[in-house]
């Protein structure tokens, strides 16, 4: 049976709010936490973007749930040797309850230092090399690395967990799922697509875990919830590679003008019908996902957690 986690949105909430939401998630009966890792929000309406590693430190003292970044890009903005240190420290703070979710990132967050934003095939190549460095550093041994994309000289992590941090790879589509199967300890993907799960498992992922996530907007007025979801997260409906190449929140706002409220209503469970929420989460479980993370859009987090504790999680588990 699938487990159900809560997805903390660093794009929408400040650090204190995120820690409080994590407490509410644990009290409501969620099994685990995801947390996004961004430099910018997707648009100015979302309005936040705290440094994820600081927030995870606070989470380690506030809750007993497992935590995973969804996802970190260890390619351009932050060198993989630095990500290795951050992840190792989080794993120690969380007593082994930390997983590192990684992906090839978006120009939105990664272009800020003025470096070239590589094409997708190059980013996949960089990701594979980055994970080699990170895993070697997790051993606690001194390493040097002189590769195509990265150099590391005489680096050693002195604060490491007893076991290496598991690394899950974000992938969209069957071919990327095969890459995740080859280089990752698990798969992260955001659509309940059984064919992607099967491709991952047959490509070498075997019984490794598969994680998925979706956004919802709980509220007593369904139409108002749709408007909230559209105002804050219309960018979720942008197609294909576009979200990976737009460089600023303003560009996302411009592109999102093409996304209608009806498009959002057809993709995001909105309102207070528990059956709609249960159906959306069950689609992931039926597609073979091990854990599904749900994120509430908007400010009414307490109402959402009360609703899920009373009506949604019991139905999913019963």
């Amino acid at each position: 049976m699938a487990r159900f986690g809560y997805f903390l949105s660093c794009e929408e909430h400040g650090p204190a709010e995120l820690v409080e939401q994590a407490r509410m998630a644990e009290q409501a009966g969620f099994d685990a936490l995801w947390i996004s890792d961004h430099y910018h929000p997707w648009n100015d309406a979302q309005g936040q973007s705290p440094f994820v590693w600081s927030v995870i430190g606070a989470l380690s003292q506030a809750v007993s749930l497992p935590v995973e970044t969804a996802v970190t890009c260890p390619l351009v903005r932050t060198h993989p040797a630095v990500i290795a240190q951050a992840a190792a420290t989080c794993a120690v703070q969380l007593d082994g309850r930390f997983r590192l979710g990684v992906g090839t990132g978006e120009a939105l967050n990664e272009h800020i230092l003025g470096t070239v934003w590589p094409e997708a095939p190059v980013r996949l190549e960089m990701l594979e090399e980055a994970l080699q460095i990170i895993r070697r550093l997790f051993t606690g041994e001194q390493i040097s690395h002189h590769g195509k994309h990265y150099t590391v000289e005489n680096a050693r992590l002195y604060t490491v967990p007893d076991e290496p941090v598991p690394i899950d790879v974000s992938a969209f589509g069957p071919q990327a799922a095969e890459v995740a199967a080859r280089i990752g300890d698990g798969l992260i993907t955001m659509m309940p697509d059984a064919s992607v799960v099967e491709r991952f498992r047959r490509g070498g992922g075997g019984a490794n875990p598969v994680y998925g996530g979706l956004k919802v907007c709980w509220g007593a007025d369904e139409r108002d919830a749709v408007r909230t979801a559209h105002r804050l997260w219309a960018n979720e409906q942008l197609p294909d590679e576009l979200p990976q190449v737009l460089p600023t929140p303003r560009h996302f706002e411009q592109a999102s003008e093409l996304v209608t409220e009806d498009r959002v209503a057809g993709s995001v469970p909105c309102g207070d019908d528990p059956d709609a929420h249960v159906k959306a989460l069950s689609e992931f479980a039926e597609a073979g996902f091990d854990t599904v993370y749900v994120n509430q859009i908007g400010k009414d987090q307490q109402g959402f957690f009360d609703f899920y504790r009373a009506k949604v999680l019991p139905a999913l588990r019963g």
Side-chain angles (χ1 to χ4, degrees), residues 2 26 37-38 44 58 82 92 104 119 127 142 159 217 219 224 233 235 246 253 286-287 291 297 303:
E26 186 165 34
D37 180 1
H38 270 235
D44 282 356
V82 177
V92 171
T104 55
E119 293 181 323
L127 182 63
Q142 180 174 298
T159 300
C217 191
D224 185 58
W233 286 94
N235 59 280
L246 296 178
E253 290 163 6
E286 291 163 3
T291 307
I297 296 171

Side-chain angles (χ1 to χ4, degrees), residues 71 102-104 124 127 168-181 186-191 193 196-197 200 210-211 289:
V71 293
V102 299
T104 55
L124 276 172
L127 182 63
D168 302 318
V169 176
S170 175
F172 300 89
Q175 288 186 328
E178 289 185 352
V179 175
L187 170 70
I188 292 172
T189 188
M190 305 306 286
M191 295 295 292
D193 189 336
V196 172
V197 176
F200 170 75
V210 177
Y211 303 98
F289 285 70

Side-chain angles (χ1 to χ4, degrees), residues 79-89 129-145 150-161 163-165 167:
H79 193 282
V82 177
I83 295 297
Q85 185 184 29
T89 298
E129 185 177 337
L131 295 197
Q132 292 171 2
I133 293 167
I134 291 169
R135 286 197 168 101
R136 289 181 65 195
L137 285 166
F138 283 162
T139 66
E141 298 175 359
Q142 180 174 298
I143 77 157
S144 292
H145 173 93
Y150 302 106
T151 297
V152 178
E153 290 189 352
N154 308 323
R156 177 185 172 190
L157 297 183
Y158 281 80
T159 300
V160 292
E163 298 293 332
V165 180
I167 303 175

Side-chain angles (χ1 to χ4, degrees), residues 24-301:
M24 290 191 288
E26 186 165 34
Q27 292 165 4
F30 284 93
D31 299 310
L33 297 170
W34 261 1
I35 185 166
S36 54
D37 180 1
H38 270 235
Y39 194 89
H40 293 137
W42 298 98
N43 55 57
D44 282 356
Q46 291 170 0
Q48 292 285 343
S49 203
F51 188 57
V52 70
W53 306 106
S54 299
V55 180
I56 292 171
L59 293 175
S60 73
Q61 302 303 301
V63 296
S64 62
L65 297 178
V67 178
E68 178 167 21
T69 54
V71 293
T72 292
C73 177
L75 305 187
V76 179
R77 170 171 50 105
T78 312
H79 193 282
V82 177
I83 295 297
Q85 185 184 29
T89 298
C90 287
V92 171
Q93 287 179 302
L94 285 156
D95 196 23
R97 292 176 285 109
F98 179 73
R99 298 181 76 92
L100 176 63
V102 299
T104 55
E106 303 88 18
L108 173 71
N109 302 303
E110 304 303 316
H111 83 289
I112 59 167
L113 302 181
T115 51
V116 172
W117 181 235
E119 293 181 323
V122 176
R123 300 201 309 272
L124 276 172
E125 186 180 83
M126 293 171 73
L127 182 63
E128 186 162 0
E129 185 177 337
L131 295 197
Q132 292 171 2
I133 293 167
I134 291 169
R135 286 197 168 101
R136 289 181 65 195
L137 285 166
F138 283 162
T139 66
E141 298 175 359
Q142 180 174 298
I143 77 157
S144 292
H145 173 93
H146 300 277
K148 182 175 180 180
H149 301 287
Y150 302 106
T151 297
V152 178
E153 290 189 352
N154 308 323
R156 177 185 172 190
L157 297 183
Y158 281 80
T159 300
V160 292
D162 293 336
E163 298 293 332
V165 180
I167 303 175
D168 302 318
V169 176
S170 175
F172 300 89
Q175 288 186 328
E178 289 185 352
V179 175
R182 181 165 52 80
I183 68 174
D185 299 309
L187 170 70
I188 292 172
T189 188
M190 305 306 286
M191 295 295 292
D193 189 336
S195 67
V196 172
V197 176
E198 181 65 17
R199 195 79 168 258
F200 170 75
R201 300 213 181 282
R202 289 189 176 182
N208 285 345
V210 177
Y211 303 98
L214 79 160
K215 294 191 178 296
V216 305
C217 191
W218 172 85
D221 184 322
E222 181 179 352
R223 200 65 222 173
D224 185 58
V226 169
R227 286 192 289 268
T228 297
H230 179 264
R231 178 174 61 86
L232 292 172
W233 286 94
N235 59 280
E236 285 272 297
Q237 309 306 316
L238 296 177
D240 302 323
E241 199 178 355
L242 191 60
Q244 277 73 58
V245 299
L246 296 178
T248 70
R250 181 58 185 148
H251 288 102
F252 277 92
E253 290 163 6
Q254 292 168 358
S256 295
E257 291 177 4
L258 303 174
V259 178
T260 65
E261 286 188 8
D262 287 343
R263 173 81 178 272
V264 171
S267 302
V268 179
C270 292
D272 62 354
D273 177 4
D275 291 342
H277 292 257
V278 169
K279 180 177 183 295
L281 286 158
S282 296
E283 288 177 357
F284 283 86
E286 291 163 3
F289 285 70
D290 297 285
T291 307
V292 191
Y293 294 81
V294 59
N295 171 249
Q296 162 71 357
I297 296 171
K299 296 296 184 183
D300 194 353
Q301 297 288 319

